[in-house]
Amino acid sequence: MVSSVRAVHSSPTHDFSKEPMPSITLVEGIGVSGDAHAGTTVQHRSRVARDPSAPNLRQVHLIHGELFEHLSDEGFTVEPGSLGENITTGGIDLLELPVGTRLRIGEATVVVTGLRNPCRQIDDLQPGLMKRLVFRDDDGRVRRLAGIMGIVARGGVVRPGDAIIVELPPLPHHPLTTV
């Protein structure tokens, strides 16, 4: 299966969900042009409250579109953009990528920094949804399915249908942790 962009989203305000767009522009070292989470330092409200000078490792939020199909099978209705992602992907297991993976997407390049640590607002979208996105697996490990975060290493336009080329970092690979 070819990895590609299914949808792109942005919001100029700190709303939970993001609106679908025909394209988004990624700006090197900043994030999605016009998005409330763009910036060189943290932009998420809870992180700004802790340390407003911390670097923004969450410039771009990506979710695998297959998650929405899985949630639908469990009785939830979640559309692309509903969980606040900027890029909805298809055909790529985002959660298994190591830290430092470079994703060439359209004209842009995003470097993977870690897992999204979802917040309680997810249950405001649909009650019980948080338990489907963060849980302990059969081995007792915490699993987080709400996507990955990255920083923009090369700016450019990203559109639905754009191919995604994965470039793994040099060995040893480090698994994703929350950022």
Side-chain angles (χ1 to χ4, degrees), residues 160-179:
D162 283 347
I164 301 173
I165 299 169
V166 176
E167 298 173 352
L168 295 175
L171 294 171
H173 291 165
H174 301 283
L176 299 175
T177 58
T178 58
V179 293

Side-chain angles (χ1 to χ4, degrees), residues 1-9 19-24 61-72 78-81 85-94 105-106 158-164:
M1 177 182 270
V2 175
S3 302
S4 64
V5 175
R6 288 190 180 178
V8 294
H9 318 278
E19 294 296 319
M21 300 288 170
S23 67
I24 56 175
H61 177 197
L62 300 94
I63 287 184
H64 53 294
E66 292 82 359
L67 175 63
F68 303 124
E69 296 155 14
H70 172 73
L71 291 172
S72 177
V78 184
E79 299 295 325
E85 80 274 14
N86 300 113
I87 300 174
T88 308
T89 67
I92 180 173
D93 191 350
L94 296 173
I105 309 170
V158 176
R159 295 177 182 85
D162 283 347
I164 301 173

